[in-house]
Amino acid sequence: MLHGTLLSAFGMLLLHVSPLRSVNLSLFKSKIRSPEEGAIRLAGSKTRSQGRVEVYLHGKWGTVCHNAWDLPDAQVVCRQLHFKGAVSAAAGGTFGEGTGQIWLDQTKCVGTENSLSNCSYNGWGLIDCSHKDDAGVICVAGTSATETFVDHSLELSEDLGQLFDSEEGCDFLIHGYTYTGENRDDGLWEMVDTTVCAHRMILSRFPGFKASTDVDEISIHLTQTCLPHLPSLIRYVYTRRLEVSRTTAECIHQLASHFGMRRLMEDAGRLFTKLLPEDRSFLTQVSFYEYSVEAGDRVLQENCLQYMAWNFQKLSTSKAWSSVSAELLQALLSRSDLVVPGETFVLAALEDWVSQVNRTTSEEQQAALLARVRFPMIPAKELIKLRYTSALYSAHPTLYQEKVLKGFQAHSLPFGTLKNSSNFQADDRDYQARIYTAPPWSVAYDQSVETIGRPIDNPYDRFGRGSHRGNTQYYKKPSLRTTEHHSTPVHTSAVFNDRKVDWQLNLFNEQSDCSSRGLLCDSLPAARMRMSTHKYQDQGQGSIRYSNRLLLSCRGRFIFHIVDFKEDFAYVPAGANVTYPCPNEGYIYHFVVRPEYI
């Protein structure tokens, strides 16, 4: 008998018989969501990296005709599905014939497009072929550097994997099903499913399968994206080995969480951290956050929030900006680790968001979001203009008047006087600076640049060049090889406009750099930010302290790590210990001054 030795080792595995019962499960609390227009999938193959190309449009999946189908077209498809690239463009019929609509014909891609729908073609549904000509692709297996091979294997893992593949003696059925997004002739949702036959005794370690009860089968409602990964997840129960990639991480995390596979869930969750910087559109980050809220995973939720807060400027100019929910935006605006050029930028970004989602946001939601803008941190000269320049002023005049008054008070009164007023609250975040990267509060050094720095894009350009939105030109300085001097006001308040603090800045890459200055660096690289003038107190005896930060930017693409300056030093961790991965280690160092009242 095949696998006889292994089966005897499990004894009761083949003897266990129960009355036939079934359980229906669902991993998703939300309503059924259709795929996005232009989404693609591969069908007709048991291997996820190859198959017949199908495109989603107008609520229906359709195929692509192989006329003019070539390798550049396959490259676009494979990259859109997050594979490394294409091996070949498969001729029509290689992966069987599809059904229903044929959406594309005479597709001609250059090979650099982001999606198949961006390529040249006759037009949606304008075709001269049949399903015998359905095009396919063979992609490079594996999905870039953001891929993890989970290996918790045991001595019998390989044999158990063969047992799973053979289905010999299996006595427990797992049915996965999903809805295609299309309507059947009777008006009901069209459904597709897959069934896995497994062994009760092996599954019984994980309570989510219900295999230790008198149930012989379970049914699980999955999304279209996750359904193909159900067999791989079940096979992991046998082998303790599984490939987790960008395209599968969310599904594996969902399934592992539901079935109680804590170790696998943690490994999949760690991959989320690696994935966050990969998508410049921020659609992945927003999707991960929404999933983390639905799944109740607070660790993943905070990880997503932190990345978007640190890279808020990029988020607010991304494709995903209009898809950010009011709840997510409110969570971001509540954070003091929001990295932005200034508070004026926060208000402008909020105005831009409201203009994009105006039909779906209420005045109450707008007011709740405006309440999180820290008006005392907006420069006094910009506060004066808000009545005439802010797009939201007319809808919320009372709120603006209260917030602007609060801002003017912060700019005209010593903090000691403010905190003695009857309406002052000690935990009021409006008086706390975020992480502001515009001059004079921040200066950046590129350690790979030996010549004069080039201009950095103006972060306000997308909002126009007029009114309170600013028009400042920013410069990234060359590498910091010697002591640099930088000057800032004592505080953001206009009370201190004529009073400055001088800072000495250093970056140390060698221990000799430290010792030559009579210093001892605990680790390298190390940044030093030392105040060269004494601390001030305002006229109301409200003292000021500085909670300065060192921001690490990955070649200017995204902020991947933030370090506090403690006793003038901030230490840069080794590559594996940074918060988010920067693969080429092309670091740009941002020294940020953060004054705060005590």
Side-chain angles (χ1 to χ4, degrees):
M1 180 186 292
L2 182 64
H3 306 303
T5 302
L6 182 63
L7 290 173
S8 62
F10 283 92
M12 296 298 293
L13 182 65
L14 300 179
L15 299 176
H16 188 93
V17 179
S18 302
L20 180 64
R21 288 187 59 196
S22 64
V23 173
N24 190 52
L25 307 172
S26 177
L27 302 189
F28 304 96
K29 302 175 183 177
S30 58
K31 63 181 181 180
I32 300 168
R33 291 181 289 182
S34 299
E36 294 182 2
E37 296 285 285
I40 60 174
R41 69 182 182 185
L42 301 183
S45 172
K46 293 183 178 180
T47 304
R48 69 182 183 88
S49 58
Q50 59 186 27
R52 181 177 64 251
V53 179
E54 296 188 352
V55 185
Y56 189 81
L57 184 71
H58 302 324
K60 294 183 180 294
W61 286 100
T63 59
V64 178
C65 186
H66 76 169
N67 294 331
W69 189 252
D70 209 343
L71 187 59
D73 311 304
Q75 293 282 14
V76 173
V77 168
C78 292
R79 280 203 315 276
Q80 187 175 348
L81 292 171
H82 307 300
F83 292 101
K84 295 177 182 177
V87 176
S88 64
T94 301
F95 296 103
E97 298 180 16
T99 59
Q101 184 71 48
I102 301 175
W103 281 126
L104 297 178
D105 191 9
Q106 294 292 336
T107 307
K108 298 176 182 177
C109 300
V110 175
T112 58
E113 293 87 349
N114 293 326
S115 67
L116 191 63
S117 59
N118 290 334
C119 298
S120 171
Y121 48 86
N122 283 351
W124 293 109
L126 301 178
I127 53 99
D128 184 20
C129 57
S130 68
H131 280 298
K132 293 181 179 179
D133 304 313
D134 286 343
V137 296
I138 299 176
C139 301
V140 178
T143 55
S144 79
T146 54
E147 182 179 277
T148 297
F149 192 79
V150 176
D151 190 348
H152 304 144
S153 57
L154 305 172
E155 186 175 349
L156 293 176
S157 289
E158 189 62 37
D159 292 330
L160 287 172
Q162 293 177 20
L163 174 63
F164 171 80
D165 296 337
S166 73
E167 297 186 352
E168 182 177 330
C170 63
D171 59 354
F172 194 89
L173 298 178
I174 304 164
H175 305 287
Y177 67 95
T178 188
Y179 298 97
T180 65
E182 300 180 13
N183 289 320
R184 301 188 318 199
D185 293 339
D186 58 6
L188 299 176
W189 286 99
E190 182 182 76
M191 187 177 73
V192 294
D193 59 11
T194 188
T195 297
V196 178
C197 190
H199 301 83
R200 174 188 301 277
M201 182 170 287
I202 293 179
L203 296 179
S204 61
R205 288 194 57 200
F206 301 102
F209 288 105
K210 309 291 184 182
S212 60
T213 65
D214 58 351
V215 171
D216 288 282
E217 59 183 346
I218 59 173
S219 296
I220 311 168
H221 171 218
L222 304 171
T223 63
Q224 290 189 54
T225 305
C226 292
L227 183 64
H229 305 299
L230 179 61
S232 298
L233 187 283
I234 306 303
R235 196 176 195 276
Y236 165 83
V237 179
Y238 288 69
T239 65
R240 298 297 196 274
R241 294 186 185 129
L242 182 64
E243 181 185 276
V244 183
S245 67
R246 174 175 178 170
T247 55
T248 65
E250 184 173 338
C251 293
I252 296 302
H253 189 278
Q254 289 175 344
L255 289 164
S257 175
H258 179 80
F259 290 123
M261 303 177 185
R262 188 172 188 84
R263 193 174 180 187
L264 177 60
M265 183 182 71
E266 290 173 352
D267 282 334
R270 277 191 285 270
L271 184 58
F272 280 107
T273 301
K274 297 181 182 179
L275 297 175
L276 290 174
E278 289 293 309
D279 186 2
R280 299 192 190 191
S281 73
F282 277 85
L283 294 171
T284 298
Q285 293 87 336
V286 172
S287 174
F288 282 178
Y289 173 79
E290 292 173 348
Y291 161 66
S292 70
V293 173
E294 184 174 304
D297 190 330
R298 294 189 178 183
V299 174
L300 178 57
Q301 184 176 336
E302 170 57 24
N303 208 13
C304 294
L305 275 175
Q306 179 178 259
Y307 182 83
M308 287 187 281
W310 289 2
N311 294 279
F312 186 80
Q313 187 174 345
K314 300 280 188 181
L315 170 65
S316 66
T317 57
S318 71
K319 294 179 181 178
W321 186 231
S322 60
S323 66
V324 169
S325 66
E327 293 75 18
L328 170 53
L329 185 53
Q330 185 165 315
L332 289 169
L333 296 185
S334 299
R335 299 177 69 102
S336 291
D337 64 344
L338 202 71
V339 178
V340 286
E343 201 66 25
T344 307
F345 181 89
V346 176
L347 179 58
L350 173 57
E351 291 172 340
D352 185 59
W353 179 85
V354 170
S355 70
Q356 293 188 41
V357 299
N358 190 45
R359 295 181 180 178
T360 58
T361 181
S362 65
E363 288 193 0
E364 290 77 12
Q365 287 176 318
Q366 293 177 19
L369 292 168
L370 278 169
R372 267 103 183 138
V373 178
R374 303 180 180 183
F375 280 70
M377 296 294 109
I378 296 177
K381 63 180 181 181
E382 303 295 345
L383 286 172
I384 297 173
K385 304 175 185 177
L386 291 183
R387 180 175 183 179
Y388 309 102
T389 59
S390 177
L392 297 176
Y393 187 94
S394 60
H396 308 278
T398 302
L399 176 60
Y400 263 84
Q401 290 166 10
E402 293 174 354
K403 298 286 277 184
V404 169
L405 175 60
K406 189 176 185 179
F408 279 129
Q409 288 175 337
H411 283 292
S412 58
L413 299 175
F415 187 68
T417 303
L418 282 175
K419 69 180 183 180
N420 290 327
S421 63
S422 59
N423 59 352
F424 178 79
Q425 297 179 351
D427 59 349
D428 192 341
R429 293 186 178 182
D430 280 1
Y431 298 105
Q432 297 177 15
R434 305 186 200 264
I435 303 178
Y436 299 132
T437 58
W441 302 109
S442 174
V443 60
Y445 295 91
D446 186 346
Q447 284 297 80
S448 65
V449 177
E450 297 292 344
T451 57
I452 191 74
R454 64 181 182 278
I456 291 179
D457 292 338
N458 185 342
Y460 296 104
D461 275 351
R462 73 183 180 94
F463 298 120
R465 295 185 174 275
S467 73
H468 70 285
R469 296 176 174 87
N471 185 25
T472 308
Q473 184 68 34
Y474 298 93
Y475 288 88
K476 179 176 60 181
K477 293 193 175 184
S479 58
L480 179 56
R481 303 299 184 191
T482 59
T483 299
E484 289 283 333
H485 296 273
H486 185 65
S487 179
T488 67
V490 170
H491 193 272
T492 57
S493 171
V495 171
F496 301 100
N497 274 348
D498 58 345
R499 305 174 76 175
K500 303 291 183 182
V501 176
D502 294 322
W503 303 91
Q504 294 178 355
L505 312 179
N506 297 97
L507 275 176
F508 303 127
N509 291 304
E510 304 289 342
Q511 194 61 248
S512 58
D513 296 335
C514 301
S515 57
S516 64
R517 293 171 173 81
L519 302 171
L520 178 62
C521 297
D522 293 342
S523 64
L524 298 169
R528 184 174 181 239
M529 190 174 193
R530 180 175 178 271
M531 182 186 295
S532 57
T533 54
H534 68 278
K535 297 180 181 179
Y536 291 94
Q537 287 189 319
D538 68 25
Q539 297 170 9
Q541 301 303 309
S543 58
I544 298 172
R545 67 184 176 190
Y546 295 89
S547 299
N548 298 337
R549 300 288 189 269
L550 179 69
L551 277 56
L552 302 182
S553 170
C554 190
R555 303 301 303 151
R557 285 183 51 227
F558 59 91
I559 302 295
F560 67 92
H561 197 75
I562 297 180
V563 190
D564 296 351
F565 278 94
K566 295 179 179 179
E567 296 182 352
D568 299 338
F569 278 91
Y571 295 99
V572 180
N577 296 318
V578 295
T579 309
Y580 306 100
C582 176
N584 60 8
E585 296 188 353
Y587 296 180
I588 295 174
Y589 297 83
H590 302 256
F591 291 77
V592 180
V593 178
R594 294 185 69 241
E596 57 185 20
Y597 289 119
I598 301 175

